[in-house]
């Protein structure tokens, strides 16, 4: 298992401040990895909460990017991948 994913599931990464410091690529990786863990018969406790938190962070970055807001120091800006 990836170290980033492990740090989430073992409570080493703060769900708010920790996710805010990750790049969009790292958030996308986590979203994919967590979704794969949810797609099993009995996912580990907390996987759904982490998945929701990662999606919320990605959505918030997308909204800030759409409004033209500058990300806070240490926070990666979201990349708009929507197809209009």
């Amino acid at each position: 298992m990836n170290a980033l994913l492990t740090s989430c599931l073992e409570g080493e990464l703060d769900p708010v401040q920790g996710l805010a410091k990750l790049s969009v690529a790292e958030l996308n990786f986590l979203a994919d990895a967590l979704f794969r863990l949810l797609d099993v018969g009995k996912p580990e406790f907390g996987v759904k909460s982490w998945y929701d938190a990662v999606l919320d962070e990605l959505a918030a970055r997308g909204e800030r990017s759409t409004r033209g807001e500058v990300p806070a120091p240490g926070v990666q800006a979201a990349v708009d991948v929507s197809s209009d």
Side-chain angles (χ1 to χ4, degrees), residues 57-74:
E57 178 63 24
L58 285 167
R61 290 188 191 189
E63 290 171 11
R64 288 191 300 263
S65 176
T66 300
R67 291 191 305 257
E69 294 179 17
V70 177

Side-chain angles (χ1 to χ4, degrees), residues 16-61:
V16 177
Q17 293 177 343
L19 290 179
K21 292 179 181 179
L22 296 178
S23 69
V24 172
E26 290 169 319
L27 288 170
N28 284 325
F29 167 81
L30 274 179
D32 181 62
L34 290 165
F35 181 81
R36 289 173 190 266
L37 289 176
L38 285 171
D39 198 29
V40 297
K42 292 184 179 183
E44 290 183 46
F45 178 77
V47 171
K48 175 75 166 90
S49 296
W50 272 105
Y51 181 71
D52 291 341
V54 169
L55 293 183
D56 289 345
E57 178 63 24
L58 285 167
R61 290 188 191 189

